[in-house]
């Protein structure tokens, strides 16, 4: 499916200050329009922020536009390709809302080709996933209950895990090998499982507790309980008050998780997320346990195969809607949600659940709302890939185009909100721009990779004028994150009728958390 280009409404105009200079400094102002002095003052404030020494030898792009008219109010390097990190999710999420639709639901089916006779299924039982990134242990229990209610008591064959709705490419283009064990870099499968209501699909949680006395082994457990992950535990309990040096990491190519280090006596329960190798087998293992809990015995093994076309559905579980998924996806910047949506769009539109097909759909949608897609490159849906290149111009095109869509309000509400401490409201911006005019005002998407930070979104000025902005910073050695915040506060403080007050990045540093990565659970 292709999308015809839509006129973006972008009006790249000369600044009011430049027009004023051309006519001797006098400009006729319509009601509510900024004066030349105020427009120039805003540009000077932003220039001063971006002239920070942290940008010596690095790159920054910033574009500010009117959210309604598309008029450009500030442009520094807006046409330059940059790494956007998780700002890539702005392209993915808007395409998903348009292509799949806010009411779209993922589903997981249980099927069989053989009949159920006397409580026995005389053949294999098939568990087929259609990409649900929000499936929990409780959902697999719900499927088991449906089978029990249908009278199934025994499966004489194997339990077959079917994830063929997507291709078998598990990790994205150029994803870093040393990120592979960590929850923000999990494998993408059409049949998967999340251990919690952050919906970190493709991961499990290792819980750790100190032993009864110093020198004893650390106590470990898995959430959810499963037989796929094998824990190798050499961690010990340290003296009370000693350092916590616990390290939990999965071996490449296996589900062996090694736990080393020390946990002090009396420490609280610790949690660490680990990715799972071949998550469809993990989901099937948890489902088999759910079947057992409902009194349904599976005599065979767990295998990986496609479901025959003649199979009949015995049970189905459905996810939340895509519109509802936007909240955990965008608030917490969930990479796995982004990639699942990309592959789902490929499967729905092109009957091809691959990155290449899905990214083609995302690109087509971006073009339809005015993005010059010849100037950008999308290599994944989350921004983990360092091959993604977009421009600040293109990001603001997406923001302006999305605002015209019927689903915009639900999507806009799902963006992180600056300075709001509620985790599923403020999201990755909950500890930033606290107690400033940007707090509970600026809705934006963050982005973080080593040497990359980004912030793009919407902010209302002091006069209530809604702006869109995109700020992308690359190849720095010292984080300019506080400069992003200063830009957000400057825009929120701006009035068309009065020069904006100067905002110092230094004054905002104390409002940030100690971590600098949006995917850090401590943030």
């Amino acid at each position: 499916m292709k999308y015809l280009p839509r006129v973006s409404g972008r009006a790249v105009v000369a600044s009011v200050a430049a027009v004023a200079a051309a006519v001797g400094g006098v400009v006729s102002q319509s009601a509510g329009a900024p004066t030349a002095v105020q427009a120039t003052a805003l540009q000077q404030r932003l220039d001063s922020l971006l002239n920070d020494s942290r940008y010596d030898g690095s790159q920054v792009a910033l574009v500010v536009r009117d959210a309604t008219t598309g008029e450009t109010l500030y442009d520094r390097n807006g046409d330059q390709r940059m790494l956007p990190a998780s700002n890539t999710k702005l392209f993915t999420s808007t395409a998903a809302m348009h292509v799949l639709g806010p009411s779209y639901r993922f589903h997981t089916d249980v099927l069989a080709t053989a009949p159920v006779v006397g409580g026995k299924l005389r053949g294999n039982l098939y568990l087929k996933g259609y990409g649900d990134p929000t499936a929990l242990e409780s959902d697999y229990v719900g499927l088991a209950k449906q089978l029990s209610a249908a009278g199934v008591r025994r499966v004489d064959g194997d339990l077959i895990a079917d994830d063929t709705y997507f291709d078998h490419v598990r990790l994205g283009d150029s994803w870093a090998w040393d990120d592979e064990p960590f929850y923000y870099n999990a494998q993408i499968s059409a049949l998967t499982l999340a251990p919690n209501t952050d919906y970190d699909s493709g991961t499990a949680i290792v819980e750790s507790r100190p032993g009864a006395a110093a020198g004893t082994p650390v106590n470990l457990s898995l959430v959810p309980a499963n037989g796929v992950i094998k824990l190798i535990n050499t961690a010990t309990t340290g003296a009370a008050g000693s350092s916590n040096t616990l390290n939990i990491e999965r071996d490449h190519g296996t589900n062996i998780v090694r736990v080393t280090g020390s946990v002090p006596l009396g420490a609280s329960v610790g949690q660490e997320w680990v990715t799972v190798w071949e998550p469809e087998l993990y989901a099937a293992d948890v489902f088999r346990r759910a079947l057992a809990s409902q009194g349904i015995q599976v005599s065979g093994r767990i295998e990986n195969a496609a479901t025959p076309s003649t199979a009949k559905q015995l049970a189905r579980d459905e996810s939340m809607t895509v519109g509802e998924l936007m909240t955990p996806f965008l608030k917490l910047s969930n990479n796995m949600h982004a990639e699942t949506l990309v592959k789902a769009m490929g499967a729905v539109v092109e009957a091809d659940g691959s990155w290449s097909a899905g990214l083609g759909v995302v690109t087509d949608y971006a073009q339809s709302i005015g993005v010059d897609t010849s100037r950008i490159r999308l290599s994944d849906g989350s921004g983990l890939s360092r091959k993604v290149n977009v421009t600040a111009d293109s990001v603001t095109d997406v923001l302006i185009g999305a605002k015209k869509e019927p689903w915009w309000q639900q999507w806009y509400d799902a963006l992180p909100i600056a300075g709001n401490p509620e985790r599923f409201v403020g999201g990755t911006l909950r500890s930033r721009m606290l107690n400033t005019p940007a707090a509970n005002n600026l809705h934006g998407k963050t982005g973080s990779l080593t040497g990359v930070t980004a912030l793009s979104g919407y902010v209302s000025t002091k006069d209530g004028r809604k702006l869109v902005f995109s700020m992308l910073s690359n190849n720095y050695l010292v984080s300019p994150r506080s400069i992003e915040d200063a830009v957000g506060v400057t825009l929120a403080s701006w009035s068309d009728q009065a020069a904006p007050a100067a905002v110092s990045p230094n004054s905002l540093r104390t409002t940030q958390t100690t971590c600098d990565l949006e995917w850090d659970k401590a943030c």
Side-chain angles (χ1 to χ4, degrees):
M1 181 184 297
K2 303 294 183 183
Y3 301 97
L4 295 176
R6 177 195 303 168
V7 175
S8 69
R10 176 175 179 140
V12 182
V13 297
S15 71
V16 174
V19 174
V23 295
V26 179
V27 175
S28 174
Q29 297 290 326
S30 60
T35 66
V37 171
Q38 271 59 268
T40 302
L42 176 65
Q43 293 162 12
Q44 291 173 342
R45 291 279 189 266
L46 296 177
D47 280 341
S48 67
L49 291 172
L50 270 55
N51 289 338
D52 191 282
S53 62
R54 280 171 280 181
Y55 284 120
D56 291 349
S58 64
Q59 300 81 43
V60 61
L62 174 61
V63 171
V64 181
R65 297 167 65 186
D66 187 287
T68 302
T69 67
E71 175 192 352
T72 299
L73 306 176
Y74 184 87
D75 186 345
R76 179 181 288 202
N77 300 323
D79 63 347
Q80 298 301 298
R81 280 182 288 276
M82 307 276 281
L83 282 173
S86 283
N87 268 209
T88 307
K89 295 181 176 82
L90 294 170
F91 292 81
T92 306
S93 59
T94 53
M97 287 290 276
H98 182 81
V99 174
L100 299 177
S103 62
Y104 180 88
R105 296 180 189 269
F106 299 92
H107 61 96
T108 305
D109 289 351
V110 180
L111 310 99
T113 56
V116 178
V117 179
K120 294 183 179 180
L121 174 63
R122 300 185 183 278
N124 295 333
L125 186 66
Y126 296 87
L127 179 66
K128 182 166 185 174
Y130 288 84
D132 184 3
T134 68
L136 303 171
E137 180 183 25
S138 59
D139 295 309
Y140 289 104
V141 171
L143 286 169
K145 287 180 176 179
Q146 290 182 51
L147 291 183
S148 177
V152 179
R153 295 293 175 264
R154 180 182 174 88
V155 177
D156 285 343
D158 294 330
L159 175 57
I160 307 298
D162 180 356
D163 67 341
T164 57
Y165 189 64
F166 292 167
D167 68 3
H168 204 259
V169 180
R170 298 296 193 213
L171 299 174
D173 186 5
S174 75
W175 287 8
W177 68 269
D178 52 342
D179 280 340
E180 186 186 309
F182 304 115
Y183 81 95
Y184 54 82
N185 203 101
Q187 295 187 9
I188 307 303
S189 171
L191 178 62
T192 191
L193 174 66
N196 61 344
T197 52
D198 283 3
Y199 304 106
D200 297 314
S201 56
T203 73
I205 298 172
V206 180
E207 290 192 336
S208 57
R209 296 169 175 81
T216 60
V218 170
N219 295 316
L220 302 175
S221 59
L222 289 169
V223 178
N226 68 87
V228 171
I229 292 176
K230 309 299 181 185
L231 295 174
I232 307 297
N233 182 18
T234 60
T236 58
T237 303
S242 62
S243 298
N244 189 329
T245 60
L246 195 73
N247 184 65
I248 300 174
E249 195 163 324
R250 179 176 60 79
D251 288 352
H252 171 74
T254 75
N255 277 313
I256 294 173
V257 174
R258 300 185 186 277
V259 184
T260 59
S262 176
V263 174
L265 190 66
S268 58
V269 177
Q271 289 189 326
E272 184 70 31
W273 280 251
V274 292
T275 57
V276 181
W277 189 266
E278 298 293 0
E280 79 282 5
L281 300 179
Y282 166 49
D285 179 86
V286 170
F287 179 51
R288 182 171 186 157
R289 290 166 181 258
L291 290 169
S293 74
Q294 300 304 309
I296 302 173
Q297 180 183 357
V298 179
S299 61
R301 300 180 301 177
I302 293 175
E303 300 287 353
N304 187 323
T307 303
S309 59
T310 56
K312 295 183 179 180
Q313 180 184 310
L314 301 178
R316 170 170 286 193
D317 177 74
E318 292 190 341
S319 73
M320 65 180 68
T321 66
V322 161
E324 293 165 338
L325 177 64
M326 289 295 131
T327 293
F329 170 30
L330 294 175
K331 295 292 187 187
L332 304 183
S333 198
N334 190 302
N335 295 329
M336 308 307 99
H337 296 176
E339 309 307 347
T340 296
L341 288 167
V342 167
K343 289 198 173 189
M345 284 185 273
V348 168
V349 177
E350 304 289 352
D352 179 1
S354 67
W355 264 292
S356 59
L359 290 171
V361 175
V362 175
T363 301
D364 287 344
Y365 175 68
Q367 183 180 34
S368 79
I369 57 173
V371 175
D372 182 356
T373 56
S374 70
R375 296 188 58 80
I376 67 171
R377 176 175 59 215
L378 300 178
S379 299
D380 69 3
S382 65
L384 273 176
S385 172
R386 286 187 174 268
K387 290 185 179 179
V388 178
N389 279 144
V390 303
T391 65
D393 283 345
S394 68
V395 175
T396 57
D397 284 337
V398 169
L399 295 169
I400 291 171
K403 192 171 182 295
K404 301 172 184 177
E405 298 284 15
W407 41 257
W408 178 77
Q409 189 66 50
Q410 185 176 30
W411 177 82
Y412 171 77
D413 290 342
L415 291 169
I417 301 174
N420 190 306
E422 293 294 326
R423 191 161 179 267
F424 279 96
V425 179
T428 56
L429 285 173
R430 62 188 178 277
S431 298
R432 296 174 60 178
M433 293 170 267
L434 295 165
N435 304 314
T436 71
N440 289 304
N441 171 358
L442 187 152
H443 290 225
K445 184 69 202 74
T446 55
S448 285
L449 289 170
T450 301
V452 178
T453 185
L455 180 63
S456 302
Y458 304 85
V459 62
S460 294
T461 70
K462 189 174 182 180
D463 301 325
R465 182 184 187 186
K466 190 171 288 292
L467 306 176
V468 299
F469 69 96
S470 177
M471 183 172 176
L472 310 173
S473 303
N474 286 188
N475 297 315
Y476 53 81
L477 298 178
V478 179
S479 175
R481 178 80 42 98
S482 61
I483 303 175
E484 286 179 351
D485 291 355
V487 167
V489 174
T490 296
L491 296 177
S493 307
W494 180 42
S495 169
D496 288 336
Q497 306 306 316
V503 178
S504 168
N506 292 333
S507 69
L508 299 173
R509 285 177 181 163
T510 57
T511 70
Q512 298 179 29
T513 55
T514 55
C515 59
D516 193 48
L517 299 176
E518 66 185 356
W519 53 75
D520 191 327
K521 288 280 188 185
C523 288

